[in-house]
Amino acid sequence: MNAVVACVRNEQIDSAAVVPTGSSSPHFSVSAHCFRPVRLCSRIAQDPGTRCLVTRNFRFTRCCFRKGTVALESFRHSSKGGVQTHRKSSSTPVIASSKVEMEITRTNFQQSLPVIKQALHDCQFFAFDCEMTGLEVLETKQEYLDEVEDRYHLTASGGTQFALTQVGLSAFVWSETEHQYRPRTFNFYVFPKPVDGYDRRFLSQAGSLQFLAGQGFDFNKWIYQGVPFMPDEWRKKQIATIDKAQDRREIFLQREDDKAFVQSLKEQVQAWGQTQDGTLLLDGVNSYRRAIQYQQLEKLQQSSNGAHGFYVQRVSGLQGAQLQLVRATPQQAQQHKEEERQARLQAIHDAAGFAVVFEMMRDSNKPAVGHNLSFDLTFCLASFAQALPPTWSAYKQLVQRWFPAGVWDTKHLARQLQGIFEGGTSLGDVYEGLANGGLHQAVAEFLADQTSDPSAWAFPAIQHAEGFEAYQGPEASSHAHEAGYDAYMTGAAFACLMRLYEAAGSSPGQAVPSAQQQPSLDAVQHLLGRINVGRSDIPYAALWGADPTPDRSHVMVAAGLHPSTRFKPFAEQLSKHLGVRVRVTPVWTLITPQASVFLLEVPPDAVPDHASMEAALVAVRQPNAQLIPWAEYAAAKRSGTIVSLLESLQQSNSINQAGQLKRPLEAVANSGVNDVSAQATAGKQRPAKKLKSMLPSCRMM
């Protein structure tokens, strides 16, 4: 029969090898290179304290930990869905493995930090990817005519209100001796840990959780073993409060019962001082009375009678939180105070958790790579750096501070090579097409158009670093949508894309780089910070430099339409009357509806004149509608004068309820300067479905 022998590291199965075992002797040895990483199958029943290692064509083996050995117990999966056990247990020595723990949880996070830091130090670039509990807070979809500011607010609201579940990091290290990339990849489970006033609340989206469950995501591991995290901004605030906590505001006693409580406390402490008892446990009280206890005990410690003869510690007793006095010399009391301070400081650093890795990513000063990474960026910055700023321009500065060597979006890079990626630019499409040769013919045709010697061009070799082989082999694709594997795929795709851009930028007679030559980042330097924007005429969002401004001279804004206007029939009627297709996007309806506002987009080569548009609006029974050129609308929106613009139109149309228009618009314009999620939800309070604000209405890539 066959069995599985497991390598155990830190009381966890690290890797396993399938080996034949004779019927007469269950003992055997296996060389280290036979070991392969394993994934646990959630469909196989597991007893507490055991792990089931699954192979498709072999028996399963249950491995029990027993003082450095692995007890093997083989069993088959029953056709009825159960487990048939063959109790032929024996013990065999655990075989040492040189594998690195690529899956990082709370149990191995601290000991993994040096390995992670070294990987970031050695790499030429790193790729990262995230899994989340949801993406978009609002149900309204991204609109084609959204501006970058709109899209930012939508993504920022998601990054602020949802939570990360996994973070993947893959450091691509170029080996000068082997002439290939040797990526070192890590997959982090992350879960926020409550500590001293920081208790993260977040939303979950049913569809996102269902998707994660379908990919075999371990929710128990996420909650119980996830690496803690908090924003760096919060960590600094928490540390600053440690010493301030000692300076409690004095409570002035006015009530007689409070004065009696203090007198009783003093008598109790003085009586204890006359005994030889080492401790005194005070009665449990509410938080207000406990603050009074702290204040009076501190005065007793500083008094001549107290002579620092004790220190105070908070314990959990039968009555809940209670204060306990411990007899001590002044030196011991001071030592306890410092130890308590250090313990609180360490608790804050422990709760910060993954923020340390995020700082390592910043301090490595290495290029960062992601795929369609607008959500990955906002989630990471909101979770590990600080509260997201209220504007896109401020957000760009934040990104530049945390990613000083720049960021590249592989989806945007791939979309510029439409001749190759005609079938799509999803991460799987790009990785399989380039790294696994799925687009070999398209790549060959591209190189034939770009170079004089296409056969000489080759992608760089990529081989997982020693000990990081979890994503290697025929079963590697089963890890898709695991953050670590997606980060690796992103990095591999970027390495190949750099080579394609080298070819695109080559000149006649230029030396052709071989597969053993490291791709040059210079080939994609012009694409630094350009983030993909989906479903839009905006080619990209620029995290570095100015954002591109698309030509929208063929777009007009119709304000003052009847509030009952339904945009689809309205679009059909308007298109029929003008003889061209008009795409209509609703952008605002009043809370107490008096008028509606729509964006009207016509083909750029068939723009009707102003008079024709006005006549068409009258013909479709919208005589009060007024047209605003896109440029005027966009300028008012960016400058914050959109309220005044619409009020002037409202007055010209003799709409008497001027205050009704001003109120909701100003509510959105002034909502939470430091709370992008408030801006994201402000425009939702309206009766009509799928309508949104003309002000920054929370859209992102």
Side-chain angles (χ1 to χ4, degrees):
M1 77 178 216
N2 291 289
V4 177
V5 61
C7 286
V8 180
R9 293 163 62 92
N10 299 324
E11 296 188 342
Q12 291 187 354
I13 293 176
D14 182 73
S15 58
V18 179
V19 295
T21 60
S23 58
S24 59
S25 174
H27 298 279
F28 46 83
S29 61
V30 186
S31 61
H33 75 274
C34 295
F35 281 79
R36 292 293 181 267
V38 296
R39 301 190 69 179
L40 304 182
C41 179
S42 60
R43 292 173 296 180
I44 302 299
Q46 298 186 48
D47 294 335
T50 69
R51 298 291 187 270
C52 299
L53 308 183
V54 179
T55 57
R56 293 189 174 180
N57 300 317
F58 299 90
R59 292 178 182 272
F60 307 111
T61 296
R62 182 183 305 164
C63 300
C64 305
F65 308 120
R66 293 179 183 172
K67 295 183 179 181
T69 66
V70 178
L72 301 178
E73 181 179 308
S74 64
F75 56 96
R76 288 187 181 275
H77 189 260
S78 165
S79 60
K80 297 181 180 180
V83 175
Q84 298 176 337
T85 304
H86 304 273
R87 297 195 175 277
K88 241 182 181 182
S89 300
S90 60
S91 294
T92 185
V94 176
I95 303 173
S97 170
S98 60
K99 281 183 56 61
V100 176
E101 294 184 44
M102 295 171 58
E103 183 174 274
I104 310 299
T105 63
R106 191 176 304 177
T107 57
N108 63 353
F109 176 67
Q110 290 297 330
Q111 56 265 40
S112 299
L113 287 177
V115 180
I116 299 166
K117 185 175 183 179
Q118 189 64 48
L120 289 168
H121 176 271
D122 295 343
C123 72
Q124 275 62 49
F125 66 88
F126 63 84
F128 69 103
D129 182 83
C130 301
E131 299 295 331
M132 308 92 164
T133 62
L135 291 177
E136 297 179 353
V137 176
L138 302 182
E139 294 180 357
T140 51
K141 61 183 179 180
Q142 299 175 357
E143 296 292 352
Y144 184 77
L145 294 174
D146 286 339
E147 296 188 272
V148 173
E149 188 82 28
D150 301 329
R151 295 288 183 95
Y152 165 64
H153 282 290
L154 178 59
T155 307
S157 66
T160 301
Q161 298 191 57
F162 290 105
L164 291 168
T165 59
Q166 282 185 339
V167 178
L169 175 65
S170 190
F172 273 66
V173 181
W174 180 262
S175 172
E176 294 292 349
T177 57
E178 300 173 287
H179 305 292
Q180 61 181 349
Y181 281 113
R182 301 301 303 272
R184 308 174 195 173
T185 306
F186 306 90
N187 184 59
F188 300 84
Y189 279 84
V190 292
F191 189 82
K193 178 182 178 181
V195 58
D196 283 347
Y198 178 80
D199 190 0
R200 172 75 187 276
R201 292 165 176 79
F202 58 85
L203 301 177
S204 294
Q205 193 171 343
S208 295
L209 298 187
Q210 185 177 35
F211 174 80
L212 290 173
Q215 303 300 318
F217 183 80
D218 191 333
F219 289 94
N220 282 328
K221 182 178 291 185
W222 172 48
I223 295 173
Y224 291 115
Q225 299 184 40
V227 176
F229 66 88
M230 72 166 61
D232 178 64
E233 180 182 57
W234 263 93
R235 177 176 57 178
K236 292 176 179 177
K237 289 180 180 179
Q238 291 286 328
I239 292 174
T241 61
I242 290 181
D243 295 323
K244 290 182 180 179
Q246 307 300 322
D247 304 326
R248 296 182 178 89
R249 182 180 299 177
E250 184 173 359
I251 301 173
F252 295 98
L253 304 178
Q254 302 293 334
R255 294 165 43 181
E256 292 301 323
D257 59 336
D258 288 339
K259 294 178 181 179
F261 173 74
V262 170
Q263 183 60 36
S264 175
L265 174 64
K266 291 180 179 179
E267 292 173 356
Q268 187 179 8
V269 174
Q270 290 172 356
W272 171 66
Q274 303 303 316
T275 69
Q276 298 299 316
D277 295 339
T279 61
L280 171 64
L281 183 63
L282 302 180
D283 292 337
V285 293
N286 60 35
S287 58
Y288 171 69
R289 285 283 176 90
R290 192 159 52 247
I292 294 177
Q293 286 178 334
Y294 273 119
Q295 177 176 291
Q296 296 303 319
L297 291 172
E298 187 174 354
K299 290 180 179 179
L300 287 173
Q301 282 181 307
Q302 295 172 355
S303 68
S304 57
N305 292 333
H308 296 280
F310 63 88
Y311 61 79
V312 182
Q313 60 184 13
R314 180 170 171 165
V315 298
S316 296
L318 297 176
Q319 302 176 29
Q322 295 176 252
L323 299 187
Q324 179 173 265
L325 279 58
V326 180
R327 201 180 300 277
T329 65
Q331 293 77 13
Q332 290 172 331
Q334 184 62 33
Q335 180 181 354
H336 170 77
K337 183 178 181 180
E338 180 59 26
E339 289 175 352
E340 193 176 52
R341 181 183 181 278
Q342 290 300 323
R344 292 187 62 192
L345 189 64
Q346 187 59 48
I348 293 172
H349 286 303
D350 290 344
F354 191 84
V356 175
V357 177
F358 201 61
E359 288 179 328
M360 289 180 181
M361 293 163 61
R362 176 196 62 192
D363 297 341
S364 70
N365 201 28
K366 300 297 175 62
V369 181
H371 188 85
N372 204 17
L373 54 64
S374 59
F375 278 106
D376 300 281
L377 277 175
T378 52
F379 270 76
C380 282
L381 290 167
S383 299
F384 311 131
Q386 66 172 64
L388 296 179
T391 65
W392 169 245
S393 59
Y395 175 73
K396 291 165 68 168
Q397 296 175 8
L398 178 64
V399 173
Q400 293 172 26
R401 289 198 303 270
W402 280 90
F403 296 90
V407 296
W408 278 261
D409 188 340
T410 52
K411 186 172 183 70
H412 178 70
L413 267 63
R415 287 186 66 183
Q416 310 315 301
L417 305 175
Q418 289 296 326
I420 297 177
F421 300 102
E422 294 180 352
T425 55
S426 70
L427 177 57
D429 291 336
V430 177
Y431 173 76
E432 292 295 331
L434 300 183
N436 287 347
L439 294 174
H440 173 75
Q441 184 60 37
V443 170
E445 293 174 358
F446 171 82
L447 292 174
D449 292 338
Q450 300 292 330
T451 68
S452 57
D453 188 9
S455 62
W457 290 78
F459 289 135
I462 302 172
Q463 182 69 31
H464 293 282
E466 183 178 357
F468 291 85
E469 297 93 350
Y471 299 140
Q472 184 170 293
E475 299 297 321
S477 60
S478 66
H479 293 273
H481 301 294
E482 184 173 283
Y485 184 66
D486 286 1
Y488 159 71
M489 288 198 298
T490 301
F494 183 67
C496 296
L497 285 165
M498 283 193 290
R499 182 53 45 87
L500 289 177
Y501 276 93
E502 282 182 324
S506 63
S507 56
Q510 179 179 334
V512 177
S514 67
Q516 295 185 342
Q517 183 175 335
Q518 179 185 349
S520 173
L521 190 67
D522 293 340
V524 293
Q525 193 64 34
H526 62 292
L527 301 175
L528 163 69
R530 296 186 178 183
I531 306 303
N532 177 64
V533 181
R535 198 175 180 273
S536 175
D537 59 349
I538 302 174
Y540 58 85
L543 291 169
W544 271 258
D547 291 301
T549 303
D551 180 10
R552 291 181 176 174
S553 58
H554 59 295
V555 179
M556 286 162 279
V557 182
L561 278 73
H562 192 277
S564 63
T565 303
R566 298 172 60 190
F567 75 93
K568 286 187 178 179
F570 173 63
E572 293 172 357
Q573 296 169 11
L574 200 59
S575 298
K576 182 178 180 180
H577 186 83
L578 289 171
V580 296
R581 180 178 180 272
V582 181
R583 178 159 50 186
V584 176
T585 304
V587 294
W588 186 256
T589 286
L590 299 181
I591 295 177
T592 304
Q594 296 296 327
S596 297
V597 180
F598 292 87
L599 301 182
L600 310 180
E601 182 185 4
V602 297
D605 57 351
V607 181
D609 57 35
H610 192 84
S612 298
M613 284 295 298
E614 287 186 332
L617 289 171
V618 172
V620 297
R621 300 181 180 180
Q622 298 289 350
N624 290 326
Q626 293 218 3
L627 294 173
I628 312 170
W630 170 266
E632 183 180 354
Y633 160 77
K637 187 176 171 183
R638 296 186 189 114
S639 65
T641 59
I642 190 69
V643 173
S644 300
L645 176 63
L646 292 178
E647 281 183 337
S648 65
L649 292 173
Q650 188 179 32
Q651 292 168 2
S652 66
N653 282 329
S654 300
I655 299 177
N656 298 320
Q657 306 295 334
Q660 293 175 343
L661 180 61
K662 181 177 180 180
R663 179 169 54 86
L665 286 171
E666 288 185 339
V668 178
N670 300 323
S671 59
V673 174
N674 292 317
D675 186 0
V676 293
S677 64
Q679 296 183 28
T681 56
K684 288 295 288 181
Q685 300 181 15
R686 52 187 181 265
K689 294 182 179 179
K690 297 185 178 179
L691 300 183
K692 52 181 185 169
S693 168
M694 287 188 297
L695 298 180
S697 53
C698 313
R699 311 273 181 263
M700 188 62 183
M701 317 41 77

